[in-house]
Amino acid sequence: MRSIEAFRNRSYLMAAVVSAVLGFSLPSLAQDIVVVGNARGDSEVIRSYFSGTSPEDVEKGLEALRNSGRFSNVTATREKGRVVIHVAETNLINRVVFEGNSKVKTDTLTSEVRTRAHGSFNQTVVQQDIARLLEIYKRSGRAAAKITYRTVQLPNGRIDVVFAVEEGDKTGVKDIKFVGNTVYSTGRLVDLMETTEMNFLSFIKTSDVYDPDRIASDLELVRRFYLKNGYADFHVVSSDAVFDPAQGGYVITVVVEEGPQYRVSNVDIESHLPDIDPASLQPYLRLSPGDVYNGDAVEKTVESLTREIAKKGYAFSQARPRGERNPAAQTVAIRFVVDEGPRVYIERINIRGNTRTRDYVIRREFEIGEGDAYNRVLVDRAERRLNGLGFFKKVRVTNEPGSAADRVIVNVDVEDQATGNFGVSGGYSTTEGFIGEVSVSESNFLGRGQATRLSVQAGQRARGVSFSFTEPYFLDQRFSAGFDLFAKKSDAYNYSYYSTTSIGGTLRFGIPITEEISLSPRYSIYTTTISIPNDSNRPYNDCQVPLPGYTPGYGYIYAPTQADLSILYNCQSNGEASLAIKESVGTRLTSLVGYTLAYNSLDNFRNPKNGIHSQLSQDIAGLGGDSRYVRTTGDLRYFHEIPYVDDVVGIARVQGGNMFALGDYKMRVMDNFNLGPTLVRGFAPGGLGPRDISNWTSSRGNSLGGSNYIGGSLEVQFPIWGLPKDIGLRGALFADAGTLWGYKGQTNFSSSLYGVANLPCVYPYSAPTYGQGSCIVVSGDKAQIRSSVGASALWQSPLGPIRFDYAVVLSKAYGDVTQRFRFSGGTNF
C-alpha cells in the first residue's frame, strides 16, 4: 500500500512539474477540493486520491484514504460549490508495550502483532492483534485470558500503545469423554492419548493444555490401537471441544464406532511380476490364519515386501494389501498384491522449514533419493521416522508434479523444536541413599542429529561424572556409534565393608538387523579400585592393621589389653571385612569386548502393555589388562494385558547368568555377580548367595557373590481404582524366585597372611587374640531357591518414576540378608 501511495504521489508531482514547464494546467482539483485537518500530510497528495468531484468520485477517494491507514477518520462536505475533505491524521506509534503477561513471554507476543513501533496507529489492526494474542493464550491453556489496549499521548502526535493482559487461571482439558465405545473403557482410551485431564498436578504439567493438533494426533493413536487389535471397521465419527466456563476448562467429546473384532481367515500373496515367486515372499508375512487382525502387522508386511521386491530389481513395484471382510463370520482374508507401479522418478526432494537441523539429517531418513524410483511406501516410512526423531514439532511430506509426466517432486516441510535439556534431578534409593544429579543433554547436537550428555552426580553413598556421545548414522550407514566416559565412587557401607571406584570408558555400536532385532557390539576399558576403610567410624580392617588406642588389644584407655580379649570383644566385634574382600583390595585394569543381542516388540517402551523385550549379553575380559573371564547374561520380559479386565497388565520375567575365569585367573569379589532385590525382592543388595559367615557379627557386609544365577518373576500391575489415571499411580502384586551360587574364590588365605601356602586353617575367635584367622566359612553357595511375594506402588510422576516395594520372604538360605522395604525414585525439574 505504501509503495502504491508513493508511486501515486510521484506521478502527481511529475505531472505538476511537466504542466508548469509546458504551460499546461491540470484539472482544477486544487480549487474544487479543499483539504482540512492535515498537519503532516501534503494536501496535493491527499487530493490525488480523488479523480473528480462527483459523488461517486468523492466516495471512491474517501474509501482509498481510509484504506491507506494514514488517517483515523475521513469525511467530506460541500461548501460554496467546493468539496471539503476533513481528515484526522493517525498518530505515529512510539512503542508497543505489554503489561500483565508472565506465562507467555513478551518476545512471543511482540512477534505476533502487526502493530509496530514507528508505524501508523490503526484501530482495526489493533483489534486483529488482540484476536491473535487471545488465540496464543488459548493454545497455552488460558482460554479465559482478557486483553485490552490503551494509548498514551506523547508530544508531536506520537503515542504509546499498551496491551493490558489479564492471563487468568489455567483453562486446560477438564474432561475427555468417549461415546460409542463398549470394548475398551473410556479410561483405557484416554490412557492412549498424550492429552491428559487437569488435576492437582496441573501446575507442573502441560499435557492438559488444549491443543487441536495434539487432539488430532491422539485420535490417530486411538484409531491405530483399534486396528492393531482387530477392529478393522473402527472409525471416529466426530470430535468436539467445548469450553465450559462453569468448569473452567474444555470438555472434549469423541464419538466412535468400534465395529466387530476380526480374525484373519487367510493370508496370501499375489504376484503380477514375472520373476517374483509368491512362495519366496512368505517369510516376510507378519500375520497368519487365526491371528487377530493387526493393522500394524499389515503395514510392516507391506514395507518388508516392498523392500524385498526392490532388491530383486523391481524399483517401481510395491505391495498393496487387500482385505475381504466377512462380517457374519467376523473374519478377513488378506491378500498382498505385488504390482508393477507407475514408472515415476523422484526429480527433487525439497527440504523446507528447517532452521537448525541440517538437510542431510533429514534426507538420510529416506531410503530413496533424487533420481530413484518413486515409492509411496518408502516415503511414508521416512515420514514416520522423521516424526520419531523428536527433532521437529511437525513433519509433513507432500508431492507435486515435476518437470515431466514421469517426474515427481517430494516436499518435506518441518518445524524445528528445542532438543536441548538442562536437568536437575534428585532421588533416593535404599542402595545409594539420597542422590542428586545435574545434567546437560542435546539430542540434535549442532543440528547434526548427534546425541550428547554430560552429568554430575553427588549423594550420600555414590558420586560420579559421566559423558556420552552418539552418532546415529556412523559412516553414513544405518547403524550407530558412540562412546561413554565415566568415573564413579560408591560407598554403600551399610551393605558392604568396602568401597569401589571405577574410571573408564566404553566404545559402542548399534546395528539394526530387523525392526525388532538389534545387535550392539562394544569395547570397554576401565580400572576398578577396591578399598577398605579403617578408622574409628569404620574399622573394617583393624584385625590386620590395628588402630592404636581403638582396636581391642592395642590401647590403654578405650581398648583393653590382649589379656582382656574375649570371644565377644576383639578386633572383629566392631565389624571386619572378609579375607576374600581384603584379597581383592587394590586397582585392576579390565579390558573387555562384548555384545548385546536384543529383541523388542513392546507396544510402548515407557509404559508397555503388550510385547516382549529380551536380550542376551556376553563380555569377554582379557584383551590386555588384569581381568580374564567370560560373562554371559540373559533377560526376557513378557507383557500381556489380562483379558476382560481393563488396564491390568501381566508381566513374566526370566533371567540368568554365568561367568567363568580364563586360564589361571583368580576371580575377585567384584568380578562375581552380587545380587539382591534385582533378582528376588525382599533381599538386601548383595543379600543372597555366597557369603562369608566366619565372623557372625560382620556377615551382613561380607557378600562374596557367585558365578551363576537364575530367577523368575510374575507380576500384575493395575490401576488404583478411584484415582485419576493421569496421576500415574498404579499398584502391583508380585512373586519372585531365584538363586545365586558358584563362589570360585579361595577359602584359605594363609599364603597372603603368612607367606606359606596351604597351612592348616586358623579359624576366627581362636585364643589368645580371638582374631580373624586365616580361613573363611562360606554359606549360601548351593543352588537353593529363595522366594518372596509382595506388593508395590508405582508412580510415573511428573518429577520422575518412583517405586516402592514391600516383600515378604518365603524361603532363604542361612546367612542371607533380608530387606522388606525398598524404595527408589528420581526427579526431573
Side-chain angles (χ1 to χ4, degrees), residues 501-503 525-530 580 582-591 625-629 664-671 746:
T501 301
S502 298
I503 302 174
I525 183 168
Y526 56 91
T527 61
T528 305
T529 302
I530 297 179
K582 294 180 180 181
E583 187 73 9
S584 300
V585 167
T587 300
R588 289 195 185 182
L589 177 66
T590 300
S591 173
D626 304 312
S627 304
R628 297 188 303 278
Y629 59 78
D664 58 353
Y665 176 69
K666 301 296 183 182
M667 301 279 284
R668 294 193 305 168
V669 170
M670 283 303 297
D671 295 328
Q746 63 190 93

Side-chain angles (χ1 to χ4, degrees), residues 669-689:
V669 170
M670 283 303 297
D671 295 328
N672 293 332
F673 297 117
N674 286 270
L675 303 176
T678 57
L679 184 64
V680 181
R681 281 164 285 195
F683 289 83
L688 60 84

Side-chain angles (χ1 to χ4, degrees), residues 366-688:
F366 287 81
E367 297 181 43
I368 50 180
E370 293 163 340
D372 292 341
Y374 176 80
N375 190 304
R376 184 66 206 178
V377 173
L378 300 183
V379 171
D380 290 343
R381 177 183 174 87
E383 185 174 4
R384 289 194 298 272
R385 283 176 170 171
L386 289 171
N387 276 303
L389 290 176
F391 300 165
F392 312 106
K393 291 182 180 178
K394 60 182 179 180
V395 177
R396 186 168 178 262
V397 180
T398 56
N399 303 328
E400 65 180 58
S403 59
D406 62 346
R407 297 291 187 269
V408 65
I409 297 173
V410 178
N411 296 318
V412 184
D413 293 286
V414 300
E415 182 180 347
D416 282 299
Q417 67 179 357
T419 53
N421 178 61
F422 174 78
V424 180
S425 62
Y428 175 82
S429 71
T430 48
T431 305
E432 297 182 338
F434 288 100
I435 190 168
E437 179 184 80
V438 177
S439 64
V440 179
S441 63
E442 172 58 70
S443 60
N444 188 15
F445 183 64
L446 298 178
R448 302 175 184 270
Q450 300 162 335
T452 61
R453 187 175 191 271
L454 173 66
S455 67
V456 178
Q457 293 180 338
Q460 284 181 291
R461 305 167 194 150
R463 49 205 170 274
V465 60
S466 64
F467 175 78
S468 65
F469 175 86
T470 303
E471 168 56 66
Y473 276 77
F474 185 60
L475 298 178
D476 293 327
Q477 301 297 316
R478 194 174 288 279
F479 67 88
S480 64
F483 64 88
D484 305 301
L485 302 175
F486 59 88
K488 183 177 181 179
K489 181 176 177 63
S490 177
D491 301 325
Y493 295 129
N494 52 335
Y495 298 110
S496 60
Y497 288 139
Y498 59 91
S499 67
T500 60
T501 301
S502 298
I503 302 174
T506 298
L507 180 65
R508 49 185 166 72
F509 301 91
I511 304 172
I513 299 175
T514 67
E515 287 290 323
E516 292 86 12
I517 301 174
S518 63
L519 177 66
S520 303
R522 60 182 171 272
Y523 170 75
S524 299
I525 183 168
Y526 56 91
T527 61
T528 305
T529 302
I530 297 179
S531 59
I532 301 174
N534 193 35
D535 53 42
S536 58
N537 292 324
R538 297 183 178 93
Y540 300 150
N541 195 29
D542 63 341
C543 283
Q544 268 69 47
V545 184
L547 300 174
Y550 181 85
T551 301
Y554 292 89
Y556 303 96
I557 302 175
Y558 302 106
T561 62
Q562 289 191 0
D564 297 322
L565 296 178
S566 69
I567 196 171
L568 297 177
Y569 197 77
N570 52 67
C571 66
Q572 299 184 94
S573 59
N574 52 22
E576 192 73 9
S578 170
L579 291 172
I581 295 175
K582 294 180 180 181
E583 187 73 9
S584 300
V585 167
T587 300
R588 289 195 185 182
L589 177 66
T590 300
S591 173
L592 59 82
V593 62
Y595 68 89
T596 296
L597 183 64
Y599 173 83
N600 183 6
S601 65
L602 299 180
D603 56 349
N604 186 310
F605 192 77
R606 292 182 59 188
N607 186 25
K609 297 182 183 297
N610 291 283
I612 296 174
H613 183 272
S614 63
Q615 60 182 35
L616 173 68
S617 299
Q618 193 168 55
D619 294 295
I620 302 174
L623 303 179
D626 304 312
S627 304
R628 297 188 303 278
Y629 59 78
V630 177
R631 178 175 59 211
T632 305
T633 61
D635 192 349
L636 184 149
R637 304 187 193 203
Y638 173 69
F639 297 80
H640 186 72
E641 283 187 284
I642 305 299
Y644 312 115
V645 185
D646 184 39
D647 199 20
V648 177
V649 181
I651 306 170
R653 181 184 184 188
V654 178
Q655 57 178 318
N658 167 264
M659 65 186 308
F660 57 88
L662 295 175
D664 58 353
Y665 176 69
K666 301 296 183 182
M667 301 279 284
R668 294 193 305 168
V669 170
M670 283 303 297
D671 295 328
N672 293 332
F673 297 117
N674 286 270
L675 303 176
T678 57
L679 184 64
V680 181
R681 281 164 285 195
F683 289 83
L688 60 84

Side-chain angles (χ1 to χ4, degrees), residues 176-238:
I176 303 176
K177 300 177 181 179
F178 278 84
V179 178
N181 55 309
T182 58
V183 179
Y184 296 103
S185 69
T186 294
R188 180 70 178 91
L189 299 181
V190 171
D191 194 42
L192 297 171
M193 303 172 67
E194 292 185 10
T195 303
T196 62
E197 297 172 347
M198 295 182 69
N199 53 39
F200 68 93
L201 296 173
S202 291
F203 73 100
I204 55 174
K205 68 176 184 175
T206 60
S207 59
D208 57 355
V209 172
Y210 171 67
D211 185 339
D213 294 336
R214 184 163 59 190
I215 292 294
S217 177
D218 287 339
L219 295 183
E220 176 63 15
L221 294 175
V222 172
R223 187 188 72 85
R224 293 180 69 89
F225 171 75
Y226 269 96
L227 292 180
K228 184 177 180 179
N229 287 277
Y231 296 89
D233 294 335
F234 172 85
H235 69 282
V236 176
V237 177
S238 65

Side-chain angles (χ1 to χ4, degrees), residues 267-269 278 281-288 297 301 304-305 336:
V267 183
D268 193 14
I269 300 176
L281 300 176
Q282 289 289 330
Y284 300 97
L285 296 176
R286 301 293 185 96
L287 297 102
S288 302
T301 299
S304 298
L305 292 176
F336 295 94

Side-chain angles (χ1 to χ4, degrees), residues 683-698:
F683 289 83
L688 60 84
R691 179 177 304 276
D692 180 5
I693 59 170
S694 305
N695 180 357
W696 59 273
T697 66
S698 303

